[in-house]
Amino acid sequence: MARATITTIAEAAGVSTATVDRVLNGREGVRRQTRDHVLAVARKLGYGAELGSSDTAAPQVDFLLPAGDNSFMSLFRQYLLAEAQCRPDIQVKLHLVEGFNAEKLAAQLYQLKGNTDGVGLVGLDDPQVRDAIAALQASGVPVCTLVSDIPTSSRIGYVGIDNRAAGRLAASLLGRFLPSDVPQGVTVFLGSLAYRGHEEREMGFRALLTEEFPHLKIDRMLEIGDDRARAYALTRELLQQVTPGGIYNIGAGNSGIGRALQEAGLQRQVVFVGHDLTTISRQFLLDRTMDAVIDQNPRVQAREAIRMLAAAVRGQSEPTYMPRLQVIFRENIPTH
């Protein structure tokens, strides 16, 4: 066999000679996946015993999730780490980014360029974020969106529920819980319309109320930034002015809303529908503070996110699986 050179390695690996030179000399600026590929080709061609024969490192995927006390996101982080322990073929790193801050999220995405093999993110549908996703994709790093989609970005796929359908489901529940012959006001709490998922839930909720329950009107829309303390303060203020027929919480903050309802003695008078089965929403179902919880199964979403990215970093693809919506009442709370 002819002696392997940088040129022959570059030709066999399908990369530039400059890339091969950086890899063989241990310089930065090459993605881990590309570096491992070049080293494998070099070994196959018999280049340099100093390269050794050890197995290449497992690809690394990074997840960018909102920081804060969001109970659903805490569960999602736990399930991602648990799923990663069952996947020795891939390395998983978590990064917490200030919620609702597109500039910081985009900056973190740019920092990962050249330092990761794949990215999953819960992100805002914002031009800065879309541009950062495009930059990663252009460099060969696959990106998937989680929980809230960014459909006009160059992401490879979305792992999450149909949020518009979730909003319609919430409206159907409120409409059936409340009397059909009494006009009433409904209050909607939301994290932020900067999250497309929250916007889609609000649109679906509003549309179904108009179509099937015209006697119910959204009289207040309160943005709480997924913050339980703000949710509590705004609910207390609301209840001092009016007693709504129903409350729909689009995002996090159930604990603050429920606490305010309990303190006002209205927990069994106001129909309260929210999202995600957590420790606090489970307790609220049991004591009847909440009437229904729409769950999106973070365990399944964690599994599917890792499965999608693990396939993508190897140049493969997996069919998209959309987790099913599940409505949980007091009577069908699953065991821990």
Side-chain angles (χ1 to χ4, degrees), residues 291-310:
D291 296 273
V293 169
I294 301 170
D295 192 56
Q296 56 181 314
N297 202 329
R299 186 194 302 272
V300 170
Q301 293 190 50
R303 181 193 71 205
E304 293 302 308
I306 289 180
R307 183 179 66 90
M308 177 182 288
L309 286 171

Side-chain angles (χ1 to χ4, degrees), residues 237-265:
E237 183 179 327
L238 167 72
L239 298 178
Q240 290 170 0
Q241 302 169 12
V242 65
T243 300
I247 286 176
Y248 172 40
N249 184 28
I250 283 176
N254 288 330
S255 60
I257 297 169
R259 177 185 162 203
L261 285 171
Q262 290 175 345
E263 290 179 357

